[in-house]
Amino acid sequence: MAEFPYDIRNYRRTDFNDLVRLYRAAEALEPIGRPGSPQAIAEKLGRPNYSPETDLMVVARDADLVGFLDMVPERAIGRVIVDCWLRPEHRRKVMAPRLLDNATRRARELGAAVIHVNVREDNETAKSVLTGLGFHYVRCFLELRLDMSSLDPDEADRAAREFNFFRPGEEEKLAQFQNRSFAGSWGYNPNTPEMIKYRLSLGHRSPRDVVMAYEGDMLNGYCWTEVVKEGEGRIYMIGTDPDYRGQGLGRKLLLAGLSHLKSKGVKIVWLTVDSANETACALYNSVGFRRHTSYLWYEKAVV
Ligand SMILES: CC(C)(COP(=O)(O)OP(=O)(O)OC[C@H]1O[C@@H](n2cnc3c(N)ncnc32)[C@H](O)[C@@H]1OP(=O)(O)O)[C@@H](O)C(=O)NCCC(=O)NCCS
């Protein structure tokens, strides 16, 4: 039998620069929205409840790193999100099952019931490899795009004047609120104040990017925006209190978030939405967001 010339091993700190190169190559060839700058990758490796030394593996051939296997645990919903990528010239039939064995072992250690993988709709290779490994398609997330020039600026600015921004110290309140507004949403892993703090501390984010809607002391909605690069922004999350839905609050919050992004020079806005979330899709469509591409989620049970 031919020798397997690859070493699939745990990530070490000294792999960082090679990992940055791999992430950039992966995103250039098969994008799913991975970070690209060393700072953003270092921040990703430092997130709470994740340890790169155990949750990230690399594929080495001699002294070169040729692939990675990232396993993000989401214990509260019993899943591990796997992102695996290999340089095309190192793709071999024997590789995928070996990588899956490693992911499955880690998922078992974490007590996860399922492994989820996210691929762009046009990535035929990944889809056929996943199917061959026993994964099945479970969900389609749409990537929507809005050109700010199609927005009514007066309506957006009027909406913005109705709300305030997040203030440090509101992490617990926002975490509880998010968990209430996203309860039951597919793939939503309940948030913690620690996660909110971490996410707000990322280099490209600021507490002022979160629009908060209060009635008295009661938080009843929020819209979390972010600037992703020069001229481009994202609606990262938006939610309203289940008891306040269908009264126009979501639309106003979204417009307020867009007005905030516009004030930061953003011209194109992105967001990701579950295609099965009809309410959110209708809301985004009514403001002018249009489908750009789709990401498909595949699932495999951990046995
Ligand atoms: C999506 C969400 C923010 C909308 O908030 P909302 O306060 O109900 O929004 P609005 O009352 O402003 O409604 C806005 C639009 O949504 C759509 N909508 C609202 N309720 C709807 C329903 N029951 N069915 C279908 N569409 C609906 C309509 O297009 C509506 O516009 P219209 O009133 O002009 O027809 C809210 O449902 C929510 O928090 N959902 C859970 C979290 C979530 O899924 N967030 C989005 C993740 S991408």
Side-chain angles (χ1 to χ4, degrees), residues 181-182 238-240 245-251 272 277 279 282-284:
S181 66
F182 277 85
I238 180 169
T240 56
R245 291 197 183 145
Q247 300 174 30
L249 180 60
R251 184 182 168 90
T272 309
N277 187 343
T279 309
L283 168 61
Y284 300 141

Side-chain angles (χ1 to χ4, degrees), residues 17-37:
N17 291 337
D18 288 330
L19 185 72
V20 171
R21 277 190 283 277
L22 278 177
Y23 260 61
R24 286 185 173 159
E27 210 37 34
L29 279 179
E30 280 134 350
I32 54 161
R34 302 175 188 92
S37 72

Side-chain angles (χ1 to χ4, degrees), residues 124-180:
E124 298 304 332
T125 313
K127 288 189 312 195
S128 98
V129 170
L130 286 168
T131 309
L133 291 172
F135 281 79
H136 64 280
Y137 160 82
V138 277
R139 213 75 173 188
C140 170
F141 275 37
L142 309 174
E143 180 77 357
L144 307 183
R145 179 184 186 274
L146 172 78
D147 185 330
M148 282 281 209
S149 62
S150 68
L151 194 70
D152 175 349
D154 295 335
E155 191 190 3
D157 294 345
R158 254 196 325 274
R161 284 196 289 275
E162 293 196 27
F163 306 113
N164 291 312
F165 296 110
F166 178 93
R167 287 183 307 262
E170 293 183 306
E171 291 81 3
E172 173 103 45
K173 202 168 216 174
L174 184 54
Q176 279 176 7
F177 184 80
Q178 270 190 355
N179 295 344
R180 175 165 153 74

Side-chain angles (χ1 to χ4, degrees), residues 177-178 180-183 185 220 222 235-242 244-253 271-274 277-286:
F177 184 80
Q178 270 190 355
R180 175 165 153 74
S181 66
F182 277 85
S185 297
N220 55 17
Y222 76 103
I235 300 293
Y236 170 57
M237 289 185 105
I238 180 169
T240 56
D241 188 303
Y244 283 74
R245 291 197 183 145
Q247 300 174 30
L249 180 60
R251 184 182 168 90
K252 275 193 199 167
L253 275 165
L271 66 78
T272 309
V273 60
D274 184 341
N277 187 343
E278 288 176 18
T279 309
C281 289
L283 168 61
Y284 300 141
N285 188 53
S286 77

